[in-house]
Amino acid sequence: STPGFLQLTADGGPYDRGYTGENVVVGVIDTGIWPEHPSFADDGTYGPPPIGPIPCDFGNTAHNANDKPFTCNEKLLGARQMLKTYRAVIGAEPTEFDSARDDSGHGTHTASTAAGDRKVLARVFRLPVARISGIAPRARIVAYKALGDLGGFTSDLAAAIDQAVADGVDVIN
């Protein structure tokens, strides 16, 4: 109901006028991102990145063997773990990812809602449900993992905001 509320799909609304987020970079500060999610696939139609290069912080298999390496692309421009205080005070359980990889799915959901690719097949319990799109499907994403399983610290969130500004993102969510 949010797109209807914002009139994004109304006749003559932003989609009809061609607003897709082209060349906008969204910095998503949350629980990280699952980079292999189809909402962040590079379809080969993006031009050069408007910012960067940004580190792509995945693949800490020494901490968690399931943290597969991932090379960022023209859609997901980069990802940073911003948990300095969280890791110092709380640490990281062996089952957590000590990287920018999303532990809970919240950051992935937030990033895909804001800037997920257009017409991605959504599944529930591996069954296809519908095709979904982010609000700005042509926008690029930089993810900042500043929240852990138990929440977060203001210092980590402030550091993520500062880093996003320094990285040159256009919008921070």
Side-chain angles (χ1 to χ4, degrees), residues 16 29 36 54 58 62 74 87 116 130 156:
D16 287 344
I29 300 172
E36 296 88 1
I54 309 290
F58 300 105
E74 303 300 335
R87 294 294 185 230
D156 290 338

Side-chain angles (χ1 to χ4, degrees), residues 21-26 46-54 73-77 138-142 166-170:
E22 188 74 40
N23 290 321
V24 171
V25 179
V26 179
Y46 292 97
I51 64 170
I54 309 290
N73 55 43
E74 303 300 335
K75 175 68 175 185
L76 178 58
L77 298 178
R138 291 290 297 173
R140 323 277 189 105
I141 299 167
V142 179
D167 287 343
V169 304
D170 298 304

Side-chain angles (χ1 to χ4, degrees), residues 2 15 39-40 106-116 132-137 173:
T2 300
Y15 288 140
S39 288
F40 315 125
H106 191 274
T108 300
H109 180 85
T110 301
S112 67
T113 300
I132 59 171
S133 299
I135 297 298
N173 183 31

Side-chain angles (χ1 to χ4, degrees), residues 2-171:
T2 300
F5 170 74
L6 297 173
Q7 299 178 356
L8 295 174
T9 57
D11 289 342
Y15 288 140
D16 287 344
R17 293 192 307 253
Y19 296 117
T20 62
E22 188 74 40
N23 290 321
V24 171
V25 179
V26 179
V28 179
I29 300 172
D30 209 297
T31 61
I33 195 163
W34 197 264
E36 296 88 1
H37 191 283
S39 288
F40 315 125
D42 180 354
D43 66 5
T45 64
Y46 292 97
I51 64 170
I54 309 290
C56 191
D57 183 18
F58 300 105
N60 184 355
T61 56
H63 179 79
N64 182 327
N66 294 319
D67 191 1
K68 296 186 301 187
F70 182 85
T71 301
C72 287
N73 55 43
E74 303 300 335
K75 175 68 175 185
L76 178 58
L77 298 178
R80 296 177 183 270
Q81 177 175 225
M82 305 293 300
L83 292 172
K84 185 175 181 179
T85 304
Y86 187 95
R87 294 294 185 230
V89 174
I90 295 174
E93 294 294 322
T95 56
E96 289 180 81
F97 297 111
D98 192 15
S99 71
R101 191 171 288 279
D102 195 350
D103 289 295
S104 70
H106 191 274
T108 300
H109 180 85
T110 301
S112 67
T113 300
D117 285 339
R118 178 174 282 149
K119 297 183 181 178
V120 172
L121 183 60
R123 298 176 181 274
V124 175
F125 301 116
R126 297 185 182 156
L127 298 174
V129 177
R131 296 231 173 242
I132 59 171
S133 299
I135 297 298
R138 291 290 297 173
R140 323 277 189 105
I141 299 167
V142 179
Y144 301 88
K145 182 176 180 176
L147 296 170
D149 283 352
L150 299 177
F153 290 87
T154 303
S155 57
D156 290 338
L157 293 166
I161 292 168
D162 288 347
Q163 187 63 62
V165 170
D167 287 343
V169 304
D170 298 304
V171 178

